[in-house]
Amino acid sequence: MKVNPFDDAYMKLALEEAQKAFQAGEIPVGAIVVRNGQVIAQAHNEKEKRQDATAHAEMLA
């Protein structure tokens, strides 16, 4: 398995997104989309805020 030296930085961004969800009373999940080493999207759960069962972090990102 090839280890990307940026994995820790990407995980930190995802955890920051999860913290935003937690502070908003959501289930604390964050998602980061990376393409060719560049973050192209990031989001956190907003199911309760949007009253939308599809507003998962992964879907929003």
Side-chain angles (χ1 to χ4, degrees):
M1 181 170 117
K2 185 177 176 183
V3 176
N4 184 330
F6 296 105
D7 285 349
D8 287 344
Y10 299 144
M11 181 56 74
K12 183 177 184 232
L13 289 173
L15 290 170
E16 288 172 3
E17 287 294 324
Q19 183 64 33
K20 291 176 190 177
F22 178 77
Q23 290 172 339
E26 302 277 355
I27 294 176
V29 175
I32 304 296
V33 180
V34 179
R35 182 175 184 202
N36 296 325
Q38 186 172 23
V39 175
I40 61 171
Q42 58 192 69
H44 56 275
N45 276 354
E46 293 187 3
K47 283 178 55 182
E48 300 303 322
K49 175 183 175 183
R50 295 180 183 220
Q51 291 296 294
D52 181 353
T54 66
H56 290 271
E58 308 88 279
M59 298 293 289
L60 297 174

